[in-house]
Amino acid sequence: MIMERKIKSVVWDVDGTLLNTSEGIIASVIDTLKICGYPPLDQATMESFIGPPIQHSFQKAFKLDLKSSNQMASVFRKEYKEKNLYKAELYPGMKKLLIHLKQRGVQQAVATYKREDYAKMIVDHFGISSYMDIVCGADFDGKLTKTDIIWNAIQSLKQHYLLDSVVMIGDTMNDAIGAKNLGIPFIAVRYGFGFKSGEELEKLEALKCIGIAENVEELGNLLEG
């Protein structure tokens, strides 16, 4: 599906959308489990930690109370920042697409569940900060929802009165639901960590999804309208 409206602003998720961050996140989960004395998790469960708030993932995996999951999240963040933050890579063709959008005058922002200081560090490290007008992430206490973070990005871009010209791009239902809550179009990418099951893809139909990209080249084509 090609966009029929003029795109003025693109809001990007990070994990599984701009960057393949699986190596660093999974390494930090493994480190955290060892430090906190929890048993190993299977690969599929560890991969499910990529994207959602990390405290929620620990809480779900071990049926923890909020205090315990927050304590594990603190250990994870320390391990991630100090050892594993840059164990990631841009998806093939992504930098070229970001440059192209910048040259077209399209505003670009990051809206991620990563803590905002980490998000700024990783975007800068991989050489894409110059293409972003704003980087918005989670707060230190992890209280912001994905909807809150996307809205912060839109307001910073001063596009809150032109929502039809904004598109959110992400790889999980959290991204899709956040876009739906704000009434903005959404493009799903399947090269990341989500939208692998038929059930998820069926749900997208009700979430104002305007296109699905299997790779960065397809994503660029969707954004050319």
Side-chain angles (χ1 to χ4, degrees):
M1 182 187 303
I2 303 298
M3 287 284 289
E4 297 178 352
R5 55 179 63 80
K6 177 67 174 177
I7 298 174
K8 295 184 177 179
S9 305
V10 173
V11 181
W12 296 94
D13 176 49
V14 172
D15 300 312
T17 304
L18 287 172
L19 289 157
N20 182 349
T21 54
S22 57
E23 181 182 355
I25 292 173
I26 289 174
S28 300
V29 171
I30 292 171
D31 291 344
T32 302
L33 297 180
K34 289 178 180 177
I35 292 168
C36 296
Y38 285 86
L41 295 169
D42 61 77
Q43 186 70 16
T45 301
M46 288 193 293
E47 288 177 357
S48 74
F49 279 55
I50 305 167
I54 196 68
Q55 64 270 24
H56 294 176
S57 296
F58 283 123
Q59 189 172 33
K60 180 179 179 182
F62 295 105
K63 297 180 172 55
L64 302 175
D65 57 36
L66 185 60
K67 180 180 179 181
S68 297
S69 63
N70 282 336
Q71 288 173 340
M72 290 189 77
S74 295
V75 174
F76 171 90
R77 293 186 183 110
K78 182 176 184 296
E79 293 299 301
Y80 188 53
K81 181 180 181 181
E82 294 181 358
K83 295 167 56 178
N84 302 311
L85 182 62
Y86 300 132
K87 292 179 180 177
E89 59 184 359
L90 282 167
Y91 285 103
M94 182 56 70
K95 192 165 187 177
K96 182 179 178 181
L97 177 56
L98 298 179
I99 292 171
H100 176 66
L101 293 172
K102 184 76 171 181
Q103 290 173 340
R104 281 176 49 196
V106 175
Q107 291 182 304
Q108 299 184 80
V110 162
T112 175
Y113 264 138
K114 284 190 183 301
R115 212 172 75 179
E116 190 165 295
D117 54 338
Y118 297 174
K120 289 177 178 177
M121 290 167 65
I122 200 168
V123 166
D124 187 59
H125 177 81
F126 284 96
I128 58 174
S129 58
S130 61
Y131 311 119
M132 300 299 167
D133 294 276
I134 189 71
V135 175
C136 295
D139 54 315
F140 278 63
D141 297 323
K143 293 181 179 179
L144 293 177
T145 66
K146 193 60 185 267
T147 303
D148 296 329
I149 298 167
I150 298 170
W151 182 239
N152 288 343
I154 291 171
Q155 287 188 303
S156 296
L157 294 174
K158 304 188 186 304
Q159 292 297 309
H160 50 287
Y161 53 89
L162 292 170
L163 293 182
D164 270 353
S165 69
V166 181
V167 64
M168 175 70 202
I169 301 174
D171 72 313
T172 67
M173 291 302 297
N174 287 323
D175 301 317
I177 292 169
K180 176 68 163 54
N181 288 343
L182 296 170
I184 64 173
F186 177 71
I187 294 177
V189 300
R190 296 192 69 207
Y191 55 77
F193 308 115
F195 303 125
K196 305 300 185 187
S197 69
E199 183 180 353
E200 281 187 316
L201 293 174
E202 287 178 8
K203 288 179 180 179
L204 282 176
E205 295 182 9
L207 291 173
K208 207 171 182 179
C209 179
I210 59 169
I212 300 173
E214 300 287 342
N215 51 54
V216 175
E217 182 179 1
E218 286 189 12
L219 178 56
N221 291 336
L222 288 169
L223 293 169
E224 278 299 319

